[in-house]
Amino acid sequence: MKPRIGFFDFTGCEGCQLSVLNLESEFLELLELVEFVEFREVITGNGGALDIAFVEGSICRDDEVVRLRTIRERSRNLVALGACADTAGVNALATASSPEALRQKIYGCETPLLKTFPPSPLSDFVDVDARIPGCPIDGREFLAVLQALLMGRPPELPAYSLCVECKLAELPCTFEHGEICLGPVTRAGCDALCLRGGDRCRGCRGLIDAPRSAPYRKILEQNGLSVDEILREFRTFNVIDKGRS
Amino acid sequence: MESLAPLLSEAYDHPIWKEIGDRCLGCGACTLLCPSCYCFNVQDRLDLNLEGGERVRTWDSCQFDQFTKVADGSDFRSHQADRQRHRFFRKYKYLWEKHQRTACVGCGRCSRECLAQISPTEVLNNLFATQTEPLPETTPGVEYQPQLAEILAVTPLTESETLFRLHRQQPLDFTPGSFMEVSVFGLGEAPFTIASPPTGGNSFELVVRAAGNLTRALHRLKPGENLGVRGPYGNGFPVEEFTGKDLLLVAGGMGMITLRSLLLTVLARREEFGRVTLLYGCRNDESILFRDELLNWHREGLIDVRMAVREAGGTWPTPRGDITLLFRDLNINPTRGIAAVSGPPGMYRFTTPLLLRLGFSEEQLYINLERHMKCGLGKCGKCQINDICVCESGPIFPYSRIKHLREAIEG
C-alpha cells in the first residue's frame, strides 16, 4: 500500500500548497509514489489515518487548535508546510498591535467569527516532525523532505546561510550597490530565488541555527541602518519570539 | 611566500584569530569564491521514484557550522575564530608543507567579497608586524648561522679540560642535558653539552677537552674574545618529573659535565627533591672534573658523592676500581627513585643491568646518548641511531625508549 498523505491549511494564503501543485513535471510521478487522500485544492473528502500530514498556515483561533490536534492524532508524521506554519511568517506581524485595534481597523466592527488570538506557529500546539520553511516553500525542498520521510530518515535543511547559494549562482552581493540583504543570516535552500530575480533576501526562510548576530548588526549599522530599521527589516518574516527565529 | 608557513607556526595562539572570528559571518563567501579552495561534501541524491539516484560532490566550506561537527554533537572547531585560523593555516601552511605550493593565488576575491572586510593581506601583515620572535628563516640555511658569544671567563679544570663561561645576546632556554653548537671561524663547529643549569639568563658554561683542531683553538681563546654559537638543541632531563624523588646520578668521565647541569638545577631548589647520590667513575685522580665543587656539596650534606678511579697512584686516596665498585654498598629505595646515567656507551653495558637489578624500572632510568651531533636540527644524519636522531629526540632518553635500538648501547 502506498503511503497516504494529506494537505491541510489554516491561516495562510495556500500558496505553499500551490507550490506543490506547480511541480507539474514531477506531479504524476509523485502520484505513483504516494496516495493523496486529502487535498482541498484538488480533491474532496476526508482520508482517515495518514502517514504524512502537510499542514500550511498559522494558528490564530480556538477552533483551529482543535482541528490541528485532530490532524495530529491521525497522522504518523506532521510537517509544517511554509513560513506561516513554521514560524507564523508574515501573520506574526499582527502581534504588533492589539487584536481589537486590528479588527476595528480592517473590518470596522467586532463579531464572534473574528475572535482571534495572535497568530502562532504549529509547534506552539502540537509536535512537529519536520519543517519546510519559506514563503512560499521551494517545491524541490518539499520533494526532498517527502523523500527523506519515505526513506525513514530525518529530513535535513541546509545549516548554512543564503550567501552560499548566492555565491554559487555567481550573483553580485547586493551590499556592493548599497542595498542591504538578509542573506547572511537566512537559511539557504531556495537557491537564491529572489536574488536571481534581481531583488534582495528578506528572510522568508527564517534564520540559520547559529546566526552571527553581533557582526551582522555591525555591518547593517555601517550601512546606515538604525536599530529600529534593522528590526523592521527582520519583522517581515522573523517576528521576535515566534517559532524558531 | 615561504615565510608564511613559519610565520603561522608561531601564531597559533595569536589574538588576531579571535578578532577576525568575532567579525566573521560564517557565510563561506571567502572559500566559495576562492579559485583554489576545493573542500567538498558527498551526498546521495535519489530519483523521485526512490529506486535509483546518484552520488554527487557538493561544495563545502571550513567556515560552515556543520563542517567539523560529529555524530555526538561535538565540534572540534566550534568557534568562528578556530575556522578562520584553519582557513589561513590551510592556505599558507598545511598545503605549503604538503605540496610546496601555497593555496592562495593572490586574486583578492575573498577580501573583496567579505562583508566583514576580513583581508588575508591585512591579517598576514599584522602577524608579521606583531611577531615578537625574530623573523623566521627567510633564506635557506639561516638556521645554520651562528650568533656571536663573548668569553667571560676561562677556568682550567684538568690538564686537558677547560671550563668556559660565555655570554650571548639572546637568553637561553633549555633543559639539563641540552647542548650548544660552538664554532671557531675557519675551523668548524662541534656540539658541547651545557655544563651550567638553565636560569633563563644570557650566560652559560661549557667544558672543552683539547682533542682536535677546533678544541685546541678554543683553548687558545681568552676572556673578551668571541666565538660562534648555535642552540641550545636537544631534549634534556624532565626535571619537573623528578621532584619529590630520590636521585641516583651515575657519571663516567666527561659524562659528569651533563650531570653537573642537572645537579646545579636540583641544588637550586634542593628541598623539592629527596636524597641525591652521585656515583662518579674516572680514569685517574687527575681527570676528575669539578672535584672541589662536588666534595664541598658532599661535606655540606647536600648530596652523597662517591668516586672511584681505575688507575692507582694518584694524589688523592680515591678508591680504586671501575664504577661498578660504587654499586656495592648502595642503600637506596628504587621505588621512589630516578636514575640518571651519563658516560661512555661502554659504561652503560655494565651500569644498566646493575640498575635494573637494583629495582629501577625502565621508565625510571634515564640515559645520556650523546653522539657526534653536527647540525643539531635532525637533518644531517650524523647522530642517527636506527630510526631516531639523537639531537632531535635526545640526547637524554628514558631507557624504555631506546632499549630496542641496537646501535644505542651495543655499538
Side-chain angles (χ1 to χ4, degrees):
Chain A
M1 204 170 73
K2 284 190 278 189
R4 296 155 57 84
I5 69 170
F7 288 82
F8 305 90
D9 50 81
F10 290 89
T11 300
C13 71
E14 301 190 25
C16 292
Q17 293 178 80
L18 263 182
S19 297
V20 175
L21 286 175
N22 281 342
L23 291 165
E24 289 166 10
S25 50
E26 291 93 356
F27 205 78
L28 290 177
E29 216 181 326
L30 200 58
L31 288 174
E32 298 287 309
L33 201 64
V34 293
E35 192 182 348
F36 284 68
V37 292
E38 214 165 328
F39 199 163
R40 195 168 69 93
E41 293 198 353
V42 277
I43 50 175
T44 48
N46 181 322
L50 294 169
D51 289 295
I52 309 169
F54 290 96
V55 182
E56 192 203 279
S58 324
I59 306 300
C60 65
R61 288 201 316 265
D62 293 334
D63 62 303
E64 287 186 330
V65 178
V66 176
R67 189 175 150 235
L68 176 65
R69 291 201 169 120
T70 324
I71 296 166
R72 175 73 265 192
E73 275 164 24
R74 63 186 169 104
S75 310
R76 209 152 54 82
N77 288 292
L78 189 144
V79 181
L81 186 71
C84 295
D86 184 28
T87 64
V90 283
N91 290 331
L93 280 170
T95 47
S97 20
S98 76
E100 292 75 25
L102 267 180
R103 282 196 286 272
Q104 204 56 46
K105 192 174 169 190
I106 309 294
Y107 302 109
C109 64
E110 286 274 355
T111 82
L113 276 175
L114 297 175
K115 280 287 178 216
T116 58
F117 53 80
S120 300
L122 307 184
S123 55
D124 280 6
F125 307 98
V126 294
D127 286 338
V128 173
D129 301 300
R131 35 197 292 255
I132 305 173
C135 180
I137 60 152
D138 184 284
R140 287 154 302 180
E141 192 162 61
F142 164 78
L143 290 175
V145 169
L146 176 64
Q147 280 190 328
L149 292 172
L150 293 176
M151 297 292 292
R153 62 175 164 81
E156 278 172 37
L157 299 177
Y160 46 79
S161 76
L162 185 61
C163 291
V164 174
E165 289 174 344
C166 185
K167 289 291 168 291
L168 291 176
E170 302 186 6
L171 297 166
C173 183
T174 66
F175 282 89
E176 268 185 53
H177 48 267
E179 206 173 349
I180 75 118
C181 173
L182 297 194
V185 287
T186 300
R187 188 184 302 280
C190 56
D191 209 12
L193 183 68
C194 298
L195 288 128
R196 283 176 194 268
D199 197 5
R200 61 201 180 88
C201 175
R202 294 159 198 270
C204 78
R205 291 177 51 80
L207 298 180
I208 50 174
D209 299 327
R212 314 301 198 271
S213 311
Y216 184 56
R217 175 183 165 176
K218 211 165 151 191
I219 288 164
L220 292 181
E221 284 174 345
Q222 280 164 359
N223 276 269
L225 264 68
S226 66
V227 172
D228 275 349
E229 286 168 321
I230 292 173
L231 288 174
R232 198 164 67 210
E233 276 297 327
F234 276 95
R235 211 175 288 136
T236 314
F237 286 103
N238 296 278
V239 172
I240 292 161
D241 297 332
K242 280 291 172 189
R244 271 160 246 264
S245 8
Chain B
M1 265 309 162
E2 62 276 6
S3 62
L4 294 174
L7 174 79
L8 289 172
S9 305
E10 301 292 322
Y12 193 86
D13 297 313
H14 199 283
I16 197 157
W17 309 123
K18 166 121 181 37
E19 195 264 308
I20 60 173
D22 286 344
R23 272 158 65 194
C24 176
L25 295 168
C27 71
C30 50
T31 59
L32 290 161
L33 290 167
C34 179
S36 63
C37 271
Y38 58 82
C39 291
F40 59 87
N41 199 1
V42 178
Q43 290 180 332
D44 287 359
R45 286 195 185 146
L46 281 176
D47 295 340
L48 192 51
N49 62 16
L50 302 182
E51 279 168 12
E54 53 178 358
R55 178 160 290 179
V56 291
R57 292 200 297 180
T58 57
W59 286 105
D60 210 339
S61 166
C62 55
Q63 303 303 304
F64 291 170
D65 286 334
Q66 85 287 16
F67 192 73
T68 50
K69 213 168 251 177
V70 289
D72 72 345
S74 36
D75 187 348
F76 50 91
R77 283 197 293 274
S78 59
H79 192 270
Q80 203 61 33
D82 305 327
R83 300 174 193 168
Q84 278 292 343
R85 174 175 54 207
H86 178 77
R87 174 184 159 222
F88 278 82
F89 272 60
R90 175 135 170 112
K91 290 269 147 231
Y92 302 109
K93 182 175 192 299
Y94 302 150
L95 291 177
W96 173 265
E97 284 161 356
K98 194 172 176 185
H99 302 300
Q100 291 75 52
R101 295 276 188 286
T102 180
C104 173
V105 300
C107 66
R109 292 171 71 171
C110 55
S111 35
R112 200 180 77 89
E113 289 299 317
C114 178
L115 276 178
Q117 296 171 337
I118 296 167
S119 146
T121 331
E122 276 172 33
V123 170
L124 295 170
N125 281 339
N126 183 316
L127 286 180
F128 272 119
T130 57
Q131 199 177 41
T132 50
E133 299 290 307
L135 272 186
E137 310 144 17
T138 46
T139 47
V142 78
E143 65 270 35
Y144 294 97
Q145 203 167 333
Q147 299 102 45
L148 281 183
E150 189 193 339
I151 299 175
L152 297 177
V154 179
T155 317
L157 296 179
T158 66
E159 207 170 295
S160 54
E161 278 123 354
T162 299
L163 179 73
F164 289 87
R165 183 154 194 82
L166 304 167
H167 177 275
R168 76 161 184 193
Q169 214 63 34
Q170 295 163 280
L172 287 84
D173 183 23
F174 63 95
T175 46
S178 306
F179 62 97
M180 295 293 285
E181 291 286 348
V182 177
S183 51
V184 175
F185 179 74
L187 286 175
E189 189 179 50
F192 294 90
T193 190
I194 302 173
S196 52
T199 57
N202 297 47
S203 53
F204 57 102
E205 290 173 341
L206 305 174
V207 176
V208 180
R209 170 186 286 179
N213 284 335
L214 177 73
T215 48
R216 276 198 293 271
L218 284 170
H219 272 235
R220 287 194 292 272
L221 293 174
K222 295 180 179 60
E225 290 188 283
N226 287 318
L227 43 73
V229 293
R230 286 194 295 131
Y233 297 117
N235 296 301
F237 294 101
V239 180
E240 296 311 316
E241 291 171 26
F242 296 177
T243 53
K245 299 192 171 142
D246 290 346
L247 307 185
L248 175 63
L249 313 185
V250 183
M254 290 184 77
M256 185 61 225
I257 303 166
T258 305
L259 293 186
R260 180 183 184 247
S261 175
L262 176 62
L263 257 181
L264 285 165
T265 310
V266 168
L267 289 175
R269 18 194 294 222
R270 181 65 188 88
E271 68 288 352
E272 291 176 41
F273 301 87
R275 286 174 55 196
V276 180
T277 311
L278 169 68
L279 312 182
Y280 184 16
C282 275
R283 191 173 67 247
N284 52 38
D285 273 346
E286 284 65 40
S287 59
I288 295 175
L289 297 170
F290 306 111
R291 178 189 186 95
D292 296 342
E293 201 173 275
L294 293 174
L295 289 178
N296 278 339
W297 294 333
H298 182 78
R299 284 186 205 107
E300 287 169 34
L302 293 170
I303 58 173
D304 176 3
V305 183
R306 305 176 187 195
M307 299 186 195
V309 291
R310 290 200 307 278
E311 293 172 7
T315 34
W316 305 93
T318 317
R320 196 178 150 220
D322 66 38
I323 187 118
T324 56
L325 172 80
L326 300 174
F327 281 79
R328 281 194 191 152
D329 38 301
L330 208 51
N331 178 23
I332 50 154
N333 178 3
T335 53
R336 35 170 285 186
I338 291 287
V341 191
S342 174
M347 182 182 94
Y348 301 155
R349 265 173 253 157
F350 303 102
T351 54
T352 304
L354 279 172
L355 288 163
L356 295 177
R357 209 175 304 150
L358 276 172
F360 286 97
S361 72
E362 291 170 351
E363 285 74 31
Q364 291 170 294
L365 169 54
Y366 287 83
I367 286 187
N368 179 8
L369 278 195
E370 262 173 43
R371 289 291 192 275
H372 192 163
M373 297 162 289
K374 196 73 194 178
C375 71
L377 303 160
K379 289 180 180 173
C380 72
K382 284 196 66 124
C383 66
Q384 180 141 12
I385 302 177
N386 302 115
D387 58 346
I388 59 158
C389 275
V390 173
C391 67
E392 240 185 348
S393 323
I396 309 297
F397 296 92
Y399 182 63
S400 57
R401 168 85 177 78
I402 47 105
K403 61 167 180 174
H404 66 286
L405 302 180
R406 304 195 48 190
E407 295 170 10
I409 293 169
E410 293 176 17

